[in-house]
Amino acid sequence: MRGPSLSRESWTKVDLYIGQALNRSDAAVNLPFKAIREDSVVSEKKETDAKGYWAATIRLTLTLLAIWFVVSYGAGILFREFLDQFAIGGAPLGFWFAQQGSIYVFVALIFYYCFAMARLERKYGVED
């Protein structure tokens, strides 16, 4: 039994039609209405999570910057006279904060920021 005899150009057209049919079956145009509606609901939920993540990130950053400002500027300059009543290692506490304490607090804030951001990324599902 012999199959249809088509020219090479005709077989190319058949391949092209099959390729278009396969691509069309993967397109979103053929998805049922329910699937499209569920996709739009999921994308709205992701947008809400992104806004919550951004608000939490801003809140964390501003809080840590405020702590850093109070420790470095407040303890080292504004409250220095009050803190000098106490001593650490023989040095007045206000002087100690101005020279070393604010740096220690800054390094601790960096580690806390890394830990807190990893927690926020897991909470809002934006981790890599």
Side-chain angles (χ1 to χ4, degrees):
M1 185 176 254
R2 190 169 177 192
S5 64
L6 296 174
S7 67
R8 184 176 192 92
E9 186 178 300
S10 297
W11 279 113
T12 304
K13 287 181 180 178
V14 169
D15 288 342
L16 182 64
Y17 291 137
I18 291 173
Q20 287 175 349
L22 290 174
N23 287 336
R24 201 176 315 145
S25 66
D26 293 335
V29 175
N30 292 332
L31 289 175
F33 176 72
K34 183 180 177 184
I36 294 172
R37 194 175 68 198
E38 287 175 355
D39 285 345
S40 64
V41 170
V42 169
S43 66
E44 288 175 11
K45 185 178 180 183
K46 286 181 181 176
E47 184 176 325
T48 303
D49 288 341
K51 287 180 182 177
Y53 171 73
W54 182 245
T57 300
I58 294 296
R59 186 174 38 249
L60 173 67
T61 302
L62 291 178
T63 302
L64 295 180
L65 284 175
I67 292 171
W68 181 43
F69 175 78
V70 168
V71 170
S72 63
Y73 190 73
I77 297 172
L78 295 178
F79 308 115
R80 185 184 58 84
E81 291 181 18
F82 173 76
L83 293 174
D84 281 346
Q85 298 173 17
F86 310 101
I88 290 182
L93 188 58
F95 177 78
W96 185 83
F97 264 108
Q99 296 299 314
Q100 298 175 5
S102 61
I103 295 170
Y104 291 148
V105 171
F106 181 68
V107 171
L109 290 177
I110 290 172
F111 283 108
Y112 180 75
Y113 179 79
C114 291
F115 171 75
M117 285 303 296
R119 188 178 57 202
L120 285 177
E121 289 174 357
R122 281 192 306 271
K123 180 180 177 182
Y124 289 100
V126 293
E127 55 194 347
D128 292 330

